[in-house]
Amino acid sequence: MIKIIQGQLVDIKNRKIFPAEISIENGKITKIEEKQHEVKSFLLPGFIDAHIHIESSMLVPTEFARLAAIHGTVATVSDPHEIANVLGKEGVKFMIENGQKSPLKFNFGAPSCVPATNFETSGAVINAEDIKDLLALPEIKYLAEMMNYPGVIFEDEEVMKKIAWAKHFNKPTDGHAPGLRGENAKKYAAAGISTDHECYTAEEAEEKLGIGMKILIREGSAAKNFEALIDLLAEHYKNMMFCSDDKHPDDLVLGHINQLCARAVAKGIDVFKVLEVACINPVNHYNLEVGQLKVGDPADFISVKDLTNFEVLQTYIDGELVAENGKSYIKSSPFEKPNNFHTSSKNPENFKIKAAGNTIKVIEALDGELITNELQQKALENDGELISDIENDILKITVVNRYEDKAPAVAFIKNFGLKKGAIASSVAHDSHNIIAVGTSDEEICKAVNLIIKHKGGICSVNENNQKVLPLPIAGIISDKDGWETGRLYEEIDKMAKDLGSTLKAPFMTLSFMALLVIPDLKLSDKGLFSGKKFDFVDLVNEN
């Protein structure tokens, strides 16, 4: 049966818009005719998120698809790095198999850095032989972000083997090198690293573009680089893409790549250039089987109300209408709930720190950034112990090993703003141990134990109240749909802000405070870590 769709067709390649009629048969576009009609909406290729960890939406791929399709997303380039750190290759296969139950086109990578470092406890290891096995799968489209850029620069044998396997299978290698400049950046790119989504300044991005790397403009729930990089798009649109990297469920309910298109056009950037970045470049770079609104292509396209706000009216994938006017037609699918969670409950004594010295190193969290600073601050003492200094917003932070019973690592952090209570999460990049910030040892312990009880989740607690979103799949993914997960997340996020947090996304920021590969001062389950020294450092300055 032939399906006919009419609209104002946006021909990105030839830079023109014309009234058209599209004929679809067996999921493919068989004919595009210029034809006069009354339909005012615009037809364009579907949006592609060029780098995302689906796990950060706290949804399985099938549930992510139900939400993303509403916003015109037809495909993703997805790094299953988070679940791989918990479950290894089996976690990657879980994501692939679940994604195949959905019409949305998930294009997974082979996670290159599991564990991300040797300075933390993860649930699994993926070595070069595992990478070979994964890259041999047709569902695996690329070697995912190579965060170990020192390993590339100093030609670590295991790192170079992984990149060599990507070249062997003729699949690109993604980068991750915040702040890397000069000769080291050249060496990194020359090794075969093709992209970077971690540029914080236009100067850094321009330099990396100049050495042949593709640059992704990232706008997620925590890391937001759109404003810093968007002015480069007008000149460098051939070598740029849009991505979210990490998108929490409440944000995904509101929008996706369509939002970045609207913001870019509002900056006065040519709409064809914007759409090339959003719809075309990822297909070409990653060799995706995603249609570009051409005869013979899979019928993956969208209808939007206008080319300014990009309000999505309809989303088609392989010729099937999967979403319309804010309603998803993608059905939920049953799934298993694999996990790896083996620690037992804690007590407040586990989080105490004996006083020894005048000053301490404090992590300075920065709103909307993954990077942190190292501060030197006077410690607040009570009965020979270091405690949270609520008045000066220097609070205790802990990372608790979730894979085995070990003593928690405890340090201090600034800018979370809590005046009472505590928040905790088992979403803690990259190894997904339990991370918590709070105003007292008792409340930190209460929050941590709530996560342990549910074998994964996020929570806010105070003396009289607690709210938790359980994450029973790998301790990082909900078993509920996107709307319910988004609603529960929003409630817990609101409670964190009612407790005093001044951060836009306190749980997203919290989840990155254990991310050792992003400088500077972070905390793993093994201790306080300096990204600049790439080694552990003492909390207390003994002087």
Side-chain angles (χ1 to χ4, degrees), residues 294-331:
K294 297 184 300 191
V295 172
D297 275 8
D300 307 325
F301 63 93
I302 61 177
S303 166
V304 299
K305 191 174 182 179
D306 57 49
L307 298 177
T308 50
N309 296 315
F310 294 93
E311 180 188 329
V312 178
L313 304 176
Q314 292 180 320
T315 302
Y316 290 87
I317 300 177
D318 290 326
E320 293 300 315
L321 181 63
V322 297
E324 186 172 30
N325 296 321
K327 182 178 180 181
S328 183
Y329 296 135
I330 298 173
K331 303 286 186 223

Side-chain angles (χ1 to χ4, degrees), residues 11-38:
D11 182 345
I12 298 170
K13 183 182 177 183
N14 296 306
R15 301 291 195 262
K16 64 178 185 175
I17 299 169
F18 58 91
E21 191 170 88
I22 300 174
S23 300
I24 302 164
E25 197 169 3
N26 298 323
K28 297 279 180 82
I29 295 174
T30 55
K31 192 189 294 183
I32 296 175
E33 288 183 287
E34 188 164 347
K35 199 167 192 177
Q36 293 301 321
H37 51 68
E38 300 303 313

Side-chain angles (χ1 to χ4, degrees), residues 377-381 386-396 412-414 418-419 438-439:
Q377 300 280 336
K378 187 165 173 53
L380 185 62
E381 296 182 26
L386 301 184
I387 61 171
S388 288
D389 185 350
I390 299 168
E391 189 178 335
N392 291 307
D393 189 20
I394 299 171
L395 305 177
K396 261 190 189 174
F412 288 86
I413 194 162
K414 189 172 178 65
L418 299 177
K419 301 300 180 190
T439 54

Side-chain angles (χ1 to χ4, degrees), residues 51 53 145 175-176 195-199 216 218 225 243 245:
H51 175 76
H53 305 280
E145 55 183 311
H176 169 119
T195 70
D196 196 10
H197 60 274
E198 290 287 350
C199 294
L216 279 64
R218 168 181 61 184
N225 310 128
C243 78
D245 197 359

